[in-house]
C-alpha cells in the first residue's frame, strides 16, 4: 500500500510528493520536512505509529516541484490515493499544503485552506494545513507555522473524538 504507518489509523496525512530521500527509501516524510513533521506530531500528542502518511503522487517530480505537472495531480489521486483512503477508512485526512489540499479544496490558496474543514461525501473530513516543509523553509527551530500545523493536527484529533460521541 502506498504510504506508511498504521493501516487502521483514524487520521491520514497527505502531502504533495516524495522528496529525494523519500523517493530513495520509498517512505513518505523521512527527510528534513519529515523530521519537522515528526516534531509537529509529537507536539500534538501523536506518534507516526498512530497515523498513516502518504502523498498525492508516488514518485519525485523533476525539480521536486509538482506544480509544473498539473496533470499528474489530476490523474494520480483517483488512480491510487482514493482507493488507499477507501482501504484505510480514515475519519479525518489532513491535507499538508496547497497541492494536496487542492484535491479536496480546489481553487483555494494555502491561506484559505489552513484550518478549513470539509466533508468528503460523508466518508471522512479533510482538514487543510500548511506543509511541514513550509515551516522548515521559514526558518528557526520552531515558528508560528509549526504552531499552525500543530493546531491543525489537534483539530483533526478533536474531530475524531467528536465523531466518537455520535450515535
Amino acid at each position: 500500500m502506498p504510504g506508511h504507518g498504521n493501516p487502521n489509523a483514524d487520521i491520514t496525512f497527505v502531502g504533495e510528493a516524495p522528496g529525494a530521500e523519500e523517493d530513495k527509501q520509498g517512505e513518505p516524510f523521512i527527510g528534513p520536512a519529515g523530521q519537522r513533521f515528526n516534531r509537529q506530531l509529537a507536539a500534538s500528542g501523536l506518534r507516526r505509529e498512530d497515523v498513516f502518511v502518504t502523498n498525492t503522487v508516488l514518485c519525485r517530480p523533476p525539480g521536486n516541484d509538482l506544480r509544473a505537472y498539473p496533470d499528474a495531480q489530476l490523474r494520480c489521486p483517483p488512480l491510487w490515493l482514493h482507493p488507499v483512503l477507501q482501504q484505510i477508512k480514515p475519519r479525518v485526512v489532513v491535507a499538508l499544503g496547497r497541492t494536496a489540499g487542492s484535491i479536496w479544496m480546489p481553487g483555494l490558496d494555502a491561506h484559505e485552506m489552513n484550518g478549513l474543514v470539509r466533508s468528503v461525501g460523508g466518508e471522512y473530513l479533510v482538514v487543510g494545513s500548511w506543509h511541514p516543509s513550509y515551516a522548515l523553509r521559514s526558518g528557526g527551530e520552531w515558528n508560528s507555522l509549526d504552531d499552525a500545523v500543530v493546531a491543525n493536527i489537534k483539530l483533526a484529533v478533536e474531530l475524531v473524538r467528536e465523531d466518537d460521541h455520535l450515535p
Side-chain angles (χ1 to χ4, degrees), residues 45-62:
L46 293 177
R47 301 168 302 147
R48 288 287 290 253
E49 299 82 31
D50 299 327
V51 301
F52 192 81
V53 184
T54 191
N55 285 304
T56 62
V57 297
L58 297 178
C59 58
R60 185 172 189 251

Side-chain angles (χ1 to χ4, degrees), residues 1-14:
M1 173 180 337
H4 186 264
N6 181 349
N8 299 308
D10 287 328
I11 301 173
T12 293
F13 292 85
V14 178

Side-chain angles (χ1 to χ4, degrees), residues 29 55 78 95 117 157:
F29 287 90
N55 285 304
V117 178
V157 169

Side-chain angles (χ1 to χ4, degrees), residues 74-150:
L74 293 173
R75 293 181 183 168
C76 290
L79 295 177
W80 73 269
L81 179 59
H82 297 311
V84 166
L85 293 176
Q86 288 173 341
Q87 184 175 358
I88 295 169
K89 295 181 176 60
R91 294 173 4 184
V92 178
V93 170
V94 179
L96 297 170
R98 184 196 57 79
T99 302
S102 66
I103 293 171
W104 297 282
M105 304 172 193
L108 299 182
D109 66 28
H111 295 280
E112 294 167 317
M113 287 179 196
N114 186 54
L116 184 65
V117 178
R118 291 253 169 109
S119 177
V120 178
E123 293 181 43
Y124 54 88
L125 298 173
V126 174
V127 175
S129 184
W130 298 110
H131 194 285
S133 66
Y134 187 51
L136 182 66
R137 288 190 311 270
S138 296
E141 286 296 310
W142 194 266
N143 59 53
S144 63
L145 292 169
D146 292 293
D147 292 335
V149 174
V150 169

Side-chain angles (χ1 to χ4, degrees), residues 15-40:
E16 179 177 339
E21 198 57 38
E22 290 86 352
D23 205 35
K24 282 182 202 170
Q25 296 189 35
E27 185 177 328
F29 287 90
I30 57 170
Q35 298 308 309
R36 193 69 163 236
F37 176 64
N38 289 343
R39 290 177 54 211
Q40 294 164 341

